[in-house]
Amino acid sequence: MEYVNNELCLGPLKKALLPLCANYMRPIYVYDLDFISQRYQAMKRALGPTRLFYAVKANPNVEILQRLKRLGAGADVVSLGEIKRALESGFSVQDIVYSGVGKTRHEITEALKLGIYQINVESLPELERIGSLAKSMGKKASVALRLNPDIDIKTHPYIATGLKDNKFGMELSLIPELVKCLKSHEDSIELVGVSLHLGSMMMEFSGYKEALQILKKIYVDLQKQFPTLKRFDFGGGLGIFYDRLDLELEESLLRDYAKITLETLSDLNCELQSEPGRWLVGHCGALITQVQYIKKTSAKTFLVVDSGMNHLIRPSLYEADHLILPLVKSQENMKADVVGPICESSDFFAKDRTLGKVSEGDFVAVMDSGAYGYSMASVYNLQELPLEICI
Ligand code: LLP
């Protein structure tokens, strides 16, 4: 992000945001598709032979999905809704990896009918359910076992998934039972992969490396019993910076991550898969909102805007600090809590934040909100959902 002639611009092609507000009606999520292409290509280059399955939950916008499909991505989905969205956007069933701890009978049946490429299984009862449903339908399910190695990647507790007290994946001690179950369902289940996802906003990779090494051994052992095993899915979770835009530093972290991954897994002779979400789309989106009031109390100045936790819940939920920038550059600064219209004290974008001085009617952009922004938005207080514009 950068100001050109005092106007805030998004992405490497410096696309101006103010013109989008000419007929402003309500908050707008704006996404720069070329920026997404650039991120995808950078990740693809770094991860070499790995097939990238974009985590649709990060942002299921159809134009974004179409763009990623065109670039060669697959889709990582976690519900029938996301399967349908991926198919509508041009992905084929052969492009879809289906994860999630709570797949219902209906969802599994639909996935089997469609012939989804890979189902990442998260529990023994789910594996049993897939086996019996596939059998009754005369189908063979292609599954990967999502394993949970109980490793801490030092992220916010709400987005860690690879610890033993997380609901995700399966404990390693369960493997003998999983093997038994797979053998008893050998007509209806084909084991094709092992999968891993330790959590989101990973910025340091020692735990990740340890997890890869553990899973690699398991992969080798399992392959002796299941020669159909051929894919290693090492998940998503690579983090981005929210307090600054430093693409070079992020690309150097990406290279470290890729090096660890490719070196650790190089001798496996398997198909590598990844499920990135945030890294591809996070920086490429901004939420534009209009200042309604500057409200001063004896304790604070509140910048009351027309968007809030209903549109971007990350600050309230994870204390995420998104940069907030006026669309027109200001020479002066102000210090304020940036808050929304929702009737909750947790409805804030920032607290005691120094930002460019703005007045009633001005627009500000909550930056880096392309991932887990609109996809987590709600209609709480019956506020309308924001608009979405791709540029
Ligand atoms: N694969 C699986 C199985 C996942 O559960 C997730 C994210 C991903 C891939 C993609 O992770 P990413 O590369 O985007 O970090 N709402 C939170 C993030 C929740 C992530 C959920 N799972 C946030 O706003 O920070």
PDB file of all heavy atoms in Angstrom, residues 190-217:
ATOM      1  N   GLU A 190      -9.776 -45.949  -0.102  1.00  0.00           N
ATOM      2  CA  GLU A 190      -8.388 -46.051  -0.562  1.00  0.00           C
ATOM      3  C   GLU A 190      -7.586 -44.982   0.177  1.00  0.00           C
ATOM      4  O   GLU A 190      -7.943 -43.786   0.123  1.00  0.00           O
ATOM      5  CB  GLU A 190      -8.345 -45.795  -2.070  1.00  0.00           C
ATOM      6  CG  GLU A 190      -6.960 -45.944  -2.654  1.00  0.00           C
ATOM      7  CD  GLU A 190      -7.012 -46.039  -4.172  1.00  0.00           C
ATOM      8  OE1 GLU A 190      -7.006 -44.981  -4.832  1.00  0.00           O
ATOM      9  OE2 GLU A 190      -7.081 -47.171  -4.692  1.00  0.00           O
ATOM     10  N   LEU A 191      -6.558 -45.399   0.871  1.00  0.00           N
ATOM     11  CA  LEU A 191      -5.718 -44.408   1.555  1.00  0.00           C
ATOM     12  C   LEU A 191      -4.774 -43.782   0.531  1.00  0.00           C
ATOM     13  O   LEU A 191      -3.918 -44.463  -0.029  1.00  0.00           O
ATOM     14  CB  LEU A 191      -4.918 -45.066   2.685  1.00  0.00           C
ATOM     15  CG  LEU A 191      -4.013 -44.085   3.442  1.00  0.00           C
ATOM     16  CD1 LEU A 191      -4.812 -43.045   4.205  1.00  0.00           C
ATOM     17  CD2 LEU A 191      -3.053 -44.815   4.372  1.00  0.00           C
ATOM     18  N   VAL A 192      -4.935 -42.480   0.295  1.00  0.00           N
ATOM     19  CA  VAL A 192      -4.069 -41.833  -0.704  1.00  0.00           C
ATOM     20  C   VAL A 192      -3.106 -40.823  -0.092  1.00  0.00           C
ATOM     21  O   VAL A 192      -2.139 -40.430  -0.725  1.00  0.00           O
ATOM     22  CB  VAL A 192      -4.886 -41.130  -1.820  1.00  0.00           C
ATOM     23  CG1 VAL A 192      -5.655 -42.135  -2.652  1.00  0.00           C
ATOM     24  CG2 VAL A 192      -5.808 -40.063  -1.241  1.00  0.00           C
ATOM     25  N   GLY A 193      -3.405 -40.390   1.151  1.00  0.00           N
ATOM     26  CA  GLY A 193      -2.534 -39.337   1.676  1.00  0.00           C
ATOM     27  C   GLY A 193      -2.455 -39.273   3.183  1.00  0.00           C
ATOM     28  O   GLY A 193      -3.242 -39.880   3.909  1.00  0.00           O
ATOM     29  N   VAL A 194      -1.451 -38.487   3.603  1.00  0.00           N
ATOM     30  CA  VAL A 194      -1.300 -38.122   5.001  1.00  0.00           C
ATOM     31  C   VAL A 194      -1.348 -36.603   5.007  1.00  0.00           C
ATOM     32  O   VAL A 194      -0.791 -35.959   4.115  1.00  0.00           O
ATOM     33  CB  VAL A 194       0.064 -38.657   5.509  1.00  0.00           C
ATOM     34  CG1 VAL A 194       0.517 -37.910   6.734  1.00  0.00           C
ATOM     35  CG2 VAL A 194      -0.025 -40.141   5.786  1.00  0.00           C
ATOM     36  N   SER A 195      -2.048 -36.024   5.995  1.00  0.00           N
ATOM     37  CA  SER A 195      -2.128 -34.568   5.988  1.00  0.00           C
ATOM     38  C   SER A 195      -1.881 -33.979   7.364  1.00  0.00           C
ATOM     39  O   SER A 195      -2.014 -34.653   8.393  1.00  0.00           O
ATOM     40  CB  SER A 195      -3.458 -34.105   5.393  1.00  0.00           C
ATOM     41  OG  SER A 195      -4.404 -33.858   6.384  1.00  0.00           O
ATOM     42  N   LEU A 196      -1.527 -32.709   7.324  1.00  0.00           N
ATOM     43  CA  LEU A 196      -1.059 -31.999   8.509  1.00  0.00           C
ATOM     44  C   LEU A 196      -1.481 -30.547   8.383  1.00  0.00           C
ATOM     45  O   LEU A 196      -1.387 -29.972   7.306  1.00  0.00           O
ATOM     46  CB  LEU A 196       0.487 -32.067   8.505  1.00  0.00           C
ATOM     47  CG  LEU A 196       1.253 -31.219   9.494  1.00  0.00           C
ATOM     48  CD1 LEU A 196       1.167 -31.860  10.857  1.00  0.00           C
ATOM     49  CD2 LEU A 196       2.725 -31.125   9.080  1.00  0.00           C
ATOM     50  N   HIS A 197      -1.968 -29.952   9.456  1.00  0.00           N
ATOM     51  CA  HIS A 197      -2.126 -28.493   9.467  1.00  0.00           C
ATOM     52  C   HIS A 197      -2.011 -28.068  10.915  1.00  0.00           C
ATOM     53  O   HIS A 197      -2.846 -28.433  11.739  1.00  0.00           O
ATOM     54  CB  HIS A 197      -3.487 -28.081   8.873  1.00  0.00           C
ATOM     55  CG  HIS A 197      -3.715 -26.603   8.957  1.00  0.00           C
ATOM     56  ND1 HIS A 197      -3.041 -25.703   8.169  1.00  0.00           N
ATOM     57  CD2 HIS A 197      -4.507 -25.860   9.768  1.00  0.00           C
ATOM     58  CE1 HIS A 197      -3.425 -24.464   8.486  1.00  0.00           C
ATOM     59  NE2 HIS A 197      -4.311 -24.537   9.452  1.00  0.00           N
ATOM     60  N   LEU A 198      -0.950 -27.325  11.234  1.00  0.00           N
ATOM     61  CA  LEU A 198      -0.650 -27.066  12.649  1.00  0.00           C
ATOM     62  C   LEU A 198      -1.320 -25.818  13.185  1.00  0.00           C
ATOM     63  O   LEU A 198      -1.322 -25.581  14.381  1.00  0.00           O
ATOM     64  CB  LEU A 198       0.863 -26.925  12.826  1.00  0.00           C
ATOM     65  CG  LEU A 198       1.700 -28.176  12.524  1.00  0.00           C
ATOM     66  CD1 LEU A 198       3.179 -27.863  12.673  1.00  0.00           C
ATOM     67  CD2 LEU A 198       1.317 -29.317  13.462  1.00  0.00           C
ATOM     68  N   GLY A 199      -1.860 -24.997  12.277  1.00  0.00           N
ATOM     69  CA  GLY A 199      -2.488 -23.765  12.726  1.00  0.00           C
ATOM     70  C   GLY A 199      -2.163 -22.652  11.754  1.00  0.00           C
ATOM     71  O   GLY A 199      -1.486 -22.858  10.754  1.00  0.00           O
ATOM     72  N   SER A 200      -2.633 -21.481  12.115  1.00  0.00           N
ATOM     73  CA  SER A 200      -2.541 -20.345  11.202  1.00  0.00           C
ATOM     74  C   SER A 200      -1.612 -19.283  11.792  1.00  0.00           C
ATOM     75  O   SER A 200      -1.369 -19.275  13.004  1.00  0.00           O
ATOM     76  CB  SER A 200      -3.961 -19.807  11.040  1.00  0.00           C
ATOM     77  OG  SER A 200      -4.129 -19.183   9.824  1.00  0.00           O
ATOM     78  N   MET A 201      -1.112 -18.407  10.950  1.00  0.00           N
ATOM     79  CA  MET A 201      -0.190 -17.335  11.359  1.00  0.00           C
ATOM     80  C   MET A 201       1.134 -17.887  11.897  1.00  0.00           C
ATOM     81  O   MET A 201       1.685 -17.408  12.879  1.00  0.00           O
ATOM     82  CB  MET A 201      -0.834 -16.421  12.415  1.00  0.00           C
ATOM     83  CG  MET A 201      -1.765 -15.392  11.832  1.00  0.00           C
ATOM     84  SD  MET A 201      -0.928 -14.245  10.709  1.00  0.00           S
ATOM     85  CE  MET A 201      -0.047 -13.182  11.834  1.00  0.00           C
ATOM     86  N   MET A 202       1.623 -18.904  11.187  1.00  0.00           N
ATOM     87  CA  MET A 202       2.915 -19.480  11.550  1.00  0.00           C
ATOM     88  C   MET A 202       4.017 -18.575  10.980  1.00  0.00           C
ATOM     89  O   MET A 202       4.047 -18.297   9.786  1.00  0.00           O
ATOM     90  CB  MET A 202       2.967 -20.881  10.932  1.00  0.00           C
ATOM     91  CG  MET A 202       4.190 -21.659  11.250  1.00  0.00           C
ATOM     92  SD  MET A 202       3.980 -23.396  10.854  1.00  0.00           S
ATOM     93  CE  MET A 202       3.632 -23.380   9.115  1.00  0.00           C
ATOM     94  N   MET A 203       4.923 -18.097  11.865  1.00  0.00           N
ATOM     95  CA  MET A 203       5.989 -17.190  11.419  1.00  0.00           C
ATOM     96  C   MET A 203       7.366 -17.770  11.747  1.00  0.00           C
ATOM     97  O   MET A 203       8.388 -17.174  11.456  1.00  0.00           O
ATOM     98  CB  MET A 203       5.880 -15.823  12.122  1.00  0.00           C
ATOM     99  CG  MET A 203       4.530 -15.150  12.044  1.00  0.00           C
ATOM    100  SD  MET A 203       4.053 -14.704  10.368  1.00  0.00           S
ATOM    101  CE  MET A 203       4.747 -13.088  10.164  1.00  0.00           C
ATOM    102  N   GLU A 204       7.356 -18.875  12.422  1.00  0.00           N
ATOM    103  CA  GLU A 204       8.612 -19.485  12.887  1.00  0.00           C
ATOM    104  C   GLU A 204       8.413 -20.984  12.693  1.00  0.00           C
ATOM    105  O   GLU A 204       7.311 -21.497  12.887  1.00  0.00           O
ATOM    106  CB  GLU A 204       8.780 -19.105  14.362  1.00  0.00           C
ATOM    107  CG  GLU A 204      10.104 -19.418  14.989  1.00  0.00           C
ATOM    108  CD  GLU A 204      10.163 -20.836  15.512  1.00  0.00           C
ATOM    109  OE1 GLU A 204       9.137 -21.408  15.938  1.00  0.00           O
ATOM    110  OE2 GLU A 204      11.260 -21.396  15.450  1.00  0.00           O
ATOM    111  N   PHE A 205       9.491 -21.695  12.234  1.00  0.00           N
ATOM    112  CA  PHE A 205       9.205 -23.017  11.657  1.00  0.00           C
ATOM    113  C   PHE A 205       9.842 -24.203  12.385  1.00  0.00           C
ATOM    114  O   PHE A 205       9.876 -25.295  11.837  1.00  0.00           O
ATOM    115  CB  PHE A 205       9.633 -23.023  10.183  1.00  0.00           C
ATOM    116  CG  PHE A 205       9.100 -21.842   9.426  1.00  0.00           C
ATOM    117  CD1 PHE A 205       9.955 -20.939   8.820  1.00  0.00           C
ATOM    118  CD2 PHE A 205       7.731 -21.628   9.354  1.00  0.00           C
ATOM    119  CE1 PHE A 205       9.456 -19.835   8.147  1.00  0.00           C
ATOM    120  CE2 PHE A 205       7.210 -20.525   8.683  1.00  0.00           C
ATOM    121  CZ  PHE A 205       8.083 -19.624   8.078  1.00  0.00           C
ATOM    122  N   SER A 206      10.364 -23.988  13.619  1.00  0.00           N
ATOM    123  CA  SER A 206      11.023 -25.132  14.257  1.00  0.00           C
ATOM    124  C   SER A 206      10.011 -26.236  14.591  1.00  0.00           C
ATOM    125  O   SER A 206      10.264 -27.419  14.348  1.00  0.00           O
ATOM    126  CB  SER A 206      11.815 -24.700  15.493  1.00  0.00           C
ATOM    127  OG  SER A 206      10.964 -23.995  16.359  1.00  0.00           O
ATOM    128  N   GLY A 207       8.850 -25.852  15.124  1.00  0.00           N
ATOM    129  CA  GLY A 207       7.817 -26.847  15.429  1.00  0.00           C
ATOM    130  C   GLY A 207       7.315 -27.515  14.164  1.00  0.00           C
ATOM    131  O   GLY A 207       7.094 -28.736  14.121  1.00  0.00           O
ATOM    132  N   TYR A 208       7.171 -26.718  13.132  1.00  0.00           N
ATOM    133  CA  TYR A 208       6.689 -27.244  11.841  1.00  0.00           C
ATOM    134  C   TYR A 208       7.648 -28.300  11.298  1.00  0.00           C
ATOM    135  O   TYR A 208       7.244 -29.379  10.853  1.00  0.00           O
ATOM    136  CB  TYR A 208       6.536 -26.063  10.878  1.00  0.00           C
ATOM    137  CG  TYR A 208       6.258 -26.441   9.442  1.00  0.00           C
ATOM    138  CD1 TYR A 208       5.059 -27.044   9.091  1.00  0.00           C
ATOM    139  CD2 TYR A 208       7.205 -26.188   8.445  1.00  0.00           C
ATOM    140  CE1 TYR A 208       4.797 -27.399   7.763  1.00  0.00           C
ATOM    141  CE2 TYR A 208       6.961 -26.527   7.132  1.00  0.00           C
ATOM    142  CZ  TYR A 208       5.765 -27.136   6.793  1.00  0.00           C
ATOM    143  OH  TYR A 208       5.516 -27.484   5.491  1.00  0.00           O
ATOM    144  N   LYS A 209       8.957 -27.995  11.403  1.00  0.00           N
ATOM    145  CA  LYS A 209       9.957 -28.942  10.892  1.00  0.00           C
ATOM    146  C   LYS A 209       9.885 -30.266  11.659  1.00  0.00           C
ATOM    147  O   LYS A 209       9.912 -31.353  11.055  1.00  0.00           O
ATOM    148  CB  LYS A 209      11.358 -28.332  11.036  1.00  0.00           C
ATOM    149  CG  LYS A 209      12.427 -29.199  10.452  1.00  0.00           C
ATOM    150  CD  LYS A 209      13.768 -28.507  10.414  1.00  0.00           C
ATOM    151  CE  LYS A 209      14.776 -29.458   9.788  1.00  0.00           C
ATOM    152  NZ  LYS A 209      16.088 -28.901   9.705  1.00  0.00           N
ATOM    153  N   GLU A 210       9.739 -30.130  12.973  1.00  0.00           N
ATOM    154  CA  GLU A 210       9.641 -31.332  13.809  1.00  0.00           C
ATOM    155  C   GLU A 210       8.417 -32.158  13.392  1.00  0.00           C
ATOM    156  O   GLU A 210       8.486 -33.386  13.254  1.00  0.00           O
ATOM    157  CB  GLU A 210       9.518 -30.874  15.269  1.00  0.00           C
ATOM    158  CG  GLU A 210       9.716 -31.963  16.271  1.00  0.00           C
ATOM    159  CD  GLU A 210       9.422 -31.465  17.697  1.00  0.00           C
ATOM    160  OE1 GLU A 210       9.487 -30.228  17.955  1.00  0.00           O
ATOM    161  OE2 GLU A 210       9.095 -32.322  18.533  1.00  0.00           O
ATOM    162  N   ALA A 211       7.322 -31.465  13.150  1.00  0.00           N
ATOM    163  CA  ALA A 211       6.091 -32.163  12.754  1.00  0.00           C
ATOM    164  C   ALA A 211       6.281 -32.887  11.418  1.00  0.00           C
ATOM    165  O   ALA A 211       5.849 -34.032  11.242  1.00  0.00           O
ATOM    166  CB  ALA A 211       4.946 -31.165  12.660  1.00  0.00           C
ATOM    167  N   LEU A 212       6.963 -32.223  10.494  1.00  0.00           N
ATOM    168  CA  LEU A 212       7.203 -32.864   9.186  1.00  0.00           C
ATOM    169  C   LEU A 212       8.017 -34.145   9.358  1.00  0.00           C
ATOM    170  O   LEU A 212       7.729 -35.172   8.734  1.00  0.00           O
ATOM    171  CB  LEU A 212       7.968 -31.923   8.249  1.00  0.00           C
ATOM    172  CG  LEU A 212       7.223 -30.743   7.626  1.00  0.00           C
ATOM    173  CD1 LEU A 212       8.182 -29.984   6.704  1.00  0.00           C
ATOM    174  CD2 LEU A 212       5.981 -31.175   6.864  1.00  0.00           C
ATOM    175  N   GLN A 213       9.041 -34.032  10.216  1.00  0.00           N
ATOM    176  CA  GLN A 213       9.908 -35.221  10.409  1.00  0.00           C
ATOM    177  C   GLN A 213       9.117 -36.384  11.005  1.00  0.00           C
ATOM    178  O   GLN A 213       9.261 -37.526  10.575  1.00  0.00           O
ATOM    179  CB  GLN A 213      11.105 -34.853  11.298  1.00  0.00           C
ATOM    180  CG  GLN A 213      12.128 -34.031  10.526  1.00  0.00           C
ATOM    181  CD  GLN A 213      13.092 -33.269  11.421  1.00  0.00           C
ATOM    182  OE1 GLN A 213      12.786 -33.021  12.592  1.00  0.00           O
ATOM    183  NE2 GLN A 213      14.234 -32.865  10.895  1.00  0.00           N
ATOM    184  N   ILE A 214       8.253 -36.053  11.959  1.00  0.00           N
ATOM    185  CA  ILE A 214       7.448 -37.111  12.596  1.00  0.00           C
ATOM    186  C   ILE A 214       6.512 -37.743  11.556  1.00  0.00           C
ATOM    187  O   ILE A 214       6.411 -38.971  11.434  1.00  0.00           O
ATOM    188  CB  ILE A 214       6.626 -36.517  13.773  1.00  0.00           C
ATOM    189  CG1 ILE A 214       7.573 -36.053  14.883  1.00  0.00           C
ATOM    190  CG2 ILE A 214       5.624 -37.532  14.302  1.00  0.00           C
ATOM    191  CD1 ILE A 214       6.899 -35.279  15.998  1.00  0.00           C
ATOM    192  N   LEU A 215       5.859 -36.877  10.799  1.00  0.00           N
ATOM    193  CA  LEU A 215       4.885 -37.408   9.831  1.00  0.00           C
ATOM    194  C   LEU A 215       5.545 -38.167   8.688  1.00  0.00           C
ATOM    195  O   LEU A 215       4.958 -39.091   8.118  1.00  0.00           O
ATOM    196  CB  LEU A 215       4.018 -36.270   9.271  1.00  0.00           C
ATOM    197  CG  LEU A 215       2.600 -36.354   9.838  1.00  0.00           C
ATOM    198  CD1 LEU A 215       2.598 -35.996  11.298  1.00  0.00           C
ATOM    199  CD2 LEU A 215       1.648 -35.493   9.063  1.00  0.00           C
ATOM    200  N   LYS A 216       6.748 -37.747   8.392  1.00  0.00           N
ATOM    201  CA  LYS A 216       7.464 -38.425   7.313  1.00  0.00           C
ATOM    202  C   LYS A 216       7.694 -39.894   7.666  1.00  0.00           C
ATOM    203  O   LYS A 216       7.458 -40.789   6.845  1.00  0.00           O
ATOM    204  CB  LYS A 216       8.803 -37.704   7.118  1.00  0.00           C
ATOM    205  CG  LYS A 216       9.672 -38.277   6.059  1.00  0.00           C
ATOM    206  CD  LYS A 216      10.944 -37.469   5.982  1.00  0.00           C
ATOM    207  CE  LYS A 216      11.956 -38.160   5.119  1.00  0.00           C
ATOM    208  NZ  LYS A 216      13.184 -37.388   5.002  1.00  0.00           N
ATOM    209  N   LYS A 217       8.111 -40.133   8.912  1.00  0.00           N
ATOM    210  CA  LYS A 217       8.335 -41.529   9.358  1.00  0.00           C
ATOM    211  C   LYS A 217       7.024 -42.313   9.267  1.00  0.00           C
ATOM    212  O   LYS A 217       6.997 -43.460   8.801  1.00  0.00           O
ATOM    213  CB  LYS A 217       8.813 -41.549  10.814  1.00  0.00           C
ATOM    214  CG  LYS A 217      10.250 -41.180  10.988  1.00  0.00           C
ATOM    215  CD  LYS A 217      10.811 -41.836  12.285  1.00  0.00           C
ATOM    216  CE  LYS A 217      12.143 -41.237  12.647  1.00  0.00           C
ATOM    217  NZ  LYS A 217      12.020 -39.958  13.410  1.00  0.00           N
TER     218      LYS A 217
END
